[in-house]
Amino acid sequence: MTRRIASTLAQTGRPHGSGITAVNPPLVRASTFVFDKLEDFEIASKTPFDVPFYGRVGTPTTFAFEEAMAELEGAHRAIATSSGVSAISAVLLAFLQQGDHLLVVDTVYEPVRRFCSRMLTRMGVETTFYDPAIGAGIADLIRPETKLIYLESPGSGTFDVQDIPAIVAAAKAAGIHTAIDNTWATPLLYRPLEHGVDVSIHAATKYIVGHSDAMLGVISTNAACYDAVRRASQDLGACAGIEECNLGLRGLRTLQVRLERHAATALMLAEWLAAQPQIARVLHPALPSCPGHEHWKRDFDGAAGLFSVELTARDPQAKRAFIDALEMFKIGFSWGGYESLVLPMNPAARELPRWQELGSVVRLQVGLEDPQDLLEDLQHALAKLRG
């Protein structure tokens, strides 16, 4: 029987045997598994990702979370890692070596830019940052030594949505791989592998865990890329903690209902903010004014609860006054939890010159508080800018 998404979230990654079975998979903490027979040890060592073999490779708790994510993403398999950055690092190192060329969207998550400029540069890998609006034009940037195109859609901070099918088509024509950071959308709003992307990455710390209490990453791949990515993640030792995998499974059970609330409140606030004189621009993929909105409307199944606003006042002190006046929105780096957060952004630090046009940009993570309370908090903060 084909299951709809809500049923899949409730059922996947759970053992269903005969007799009495716990609702949740048992939390198995282990660094070492022992075997009575050498033959059993040898069999397990040849298939370490199917049966418990060594704690760094995973326990049944790890495998349950990976199984659930693979099913949600429509992937061959999934790989749990210690954080979103560790997942990203494993993917990049799986496909790149000295002399290779990498294409990365210019709106990428800042730690990716640092990894490219520090680690990959030392390795002899050259990175070109491309415009998120490039679409099929990315074919002009592909070289013989290009091995990977890295996407993030919507992009960090400015939420530009890429024409992913056009970029994937260009990559396939050139015989190179594609990978995407899909954290904003989750598998509920976008499933990259169904659109031809080879590897999908999540900072599961965010919406998947959903409670701001665990660091967790996960990589979902097609069959062709799985072995290379699994080897890279193991070589890095970037294994996910067992408690964290358990919290990831817990988060999946309520992901849909949480995401619906995040999205509804965020869109209401975004539309209200767009009409305020203190706001020059609202960067939310569901609004027609957001760059790439037409791609979001075509490819995505909805919007999440994270977006940015550009203040009319370009004075940095205005941004400081706005943020400091907020009470419900606390200042914090992450997002995807139940609490609302605010963070100043600096798009001008990117490579392409067009980001210099933006003034003071503030990112809002819309949590699960009462929508009217969040609206009143924003009203109060914007009032500080009227003078």
Side-chain angles (χ1 to χ4, degrees):
M1 181 177 69
T2 301
R3 297 185 299 200
R4 294 172 176 82
I5 189 66
S7 300
T8 300
L9 289 168
Q11 297 288 330
T12 191
R14 290 171 50 194
H16 297 282
S18 58
I20 300 173
T21 302
V23 170
N24 295 310
L27 202 164
V28 181
R29 302 180 183 90
S31 64
T32 304
F33 294 91
V34 295
F35 302 80
D36 292 329
K37 300 290 185 182
L38 181 59
E39 181 182 7
D40 295 335
F41 174 83
E42 290 170 338
I43 292 172
S45 66
K46 292 176 183 176
T47 56
F49 310 116
D50 297 306
V51 295
F53 171 68
Y54 182 59
R56 177 167 45 78
V57 177
T59 79
T61 307
T62 316
F63 299 156
F65 175 64
E66 291 176 342
E67 174 191 328
M69 285 302 303
E71 182 172 349
L72 290 167
E73 290 266 62
H76 171 65
R77 300 194 71 160
I79 305 159
T81 70
S82 57
S83 68
V85 171
S86 69
I88 293 164
S89 302
V91 170
L92 295 176
L93 294 177
F95 298 111
L96 299 166
Q97 59 185 352
Q98 186 176 20
D100 286 346
H101 175 239
L102 166 68
L103 286 167
V104 176
V105 64
D106 198 36
T107 47
V108 75
Y109 180 43
E110 186 58 31
V112 181
R113 189 181 300 274
R114 292 200 302 265
F115 189 84
C116 294
S117 64
R118 297 199 297 223
M119 182 68 72
L120 294 185
T121 297
R122 291 202 301 270
M123 288 174 52
V125 175
E126 182 183 354
T127 303
T128 298
F129 292 95
Y130 65 88
D131 191 320
I134 197 169
I138 201 165
D140 296 332
L141 301 182
I142 296 174
R143 310 174 188 171
E145 63 271 23
T146 305
K147 294 299 187 294
L148 179 69
I149 299 175
Y150 188 92
L151 308 95
E152 182 175 337
S153 185
S156 287
T158 50
F159 299 93
D160 308 60
V161 182
Q162 297 183 252
D163 188 349
I164 298 171
I167 294 173
V168 168
K172 289 187 180 301
I176 61 178
H177 294 299
T178 51
I180 189 170
D181 184 331
N182 194 41
T183 304
W184 182 88
T186 81
L188 275 62
L189 305 181
Y190 189 69
R191 286 161 296 283
L193 275 69
E194 293 180 3
H195 294 262
V197 179
D198 295 308
V199 179
S200 176
I201 303 164
H202 293 272
T205 304
K206 310 293 197 290
Y207 282 129
I208 290 171
V209 168
H211 293 75
S212 300
D213 55 3
M215 300 296 296
L216 184 64
V218 63
I219 310 162
S220 302
T221 86
N222 58 25
C225 294
Y226 174 75
D227 287 344
V229 177
R230 176 64 86 168
R231 282 195 300 270
S233 68
Q234 286 294 301
D235 289 346
L236 286 171
C239 57
I242 305 309
E243 304 279 355
E244 287 73 16
C245 287
N246 185 56
L247 293 175
L249 278 169
R250 177 201 63 180
L252 287 177
R253 309 310 177 199
T254 62
L255 177 59
Q256 186 178 37
V257 291
R258 286 187 289 108
L259 199 57
E260 287 174 352
R261 176 63 175 267
H262 286 298
T265 305
L267 184 57
M268 181 272 287
L269 295 177
E271 290 174 338
W272 178 83
L273 284 163
Q276 304 311 304
Q278 302 95 326
I279 301 298
R281 189 173 354 188
V282 177
L283 300 166
H284 186 301
L287 298 185
S289 57
C290 190
H293 166 76
E294 67 278 12
H295 306 315
W296 171 83
K297 190 174 181 179
R298 179 192 65 194
D299 297 337
F300 286 68
D301 292 331
L306 187 76
F307 67 96
S308 290
V309 296
E310 179 191 1
L311 303 179
T312 303
R314 301 179 73 89
D315 181 357
Q317 291 306 313
K319 177 160 60 176
R320 182 175 296 275
F322 173 72
I323 291 173
D324 286 347
L326 291 166
E327 296 179 3
M328 301 289 290
F329 289 84
K330 302 299 184 183
I331 303 167
F333 270 114
S334 196
W335 50 274
Y338 59 85
E339 76 288 4
S340 291
L341 297 171
V342 60
L343 193 69
M345 304 300 294
N346 184 26
R350 296 168 177 169
E351 289 207 355
L352 300 180
R354 72 184 179 93
W355 308 118
Q356 307 295 328
E357 301 170 6
L358 288 171
S360 295
V361 178
V362 177
R363 191 185 74 183
L364 298 172
Q365 135 74 10
V366 177
L368 302 179
E369 299 91 346
D370 186 281
Q372 189 60 35
D373 287 338
L374 295 177
L375 177 61
E376 291 174 4
D377 194 29
L378 290 167
Q379 285 176 324
H380 170 74
L382 287 178
K384 299 292 183 180
L385 305 181
R386 285 179 184 159

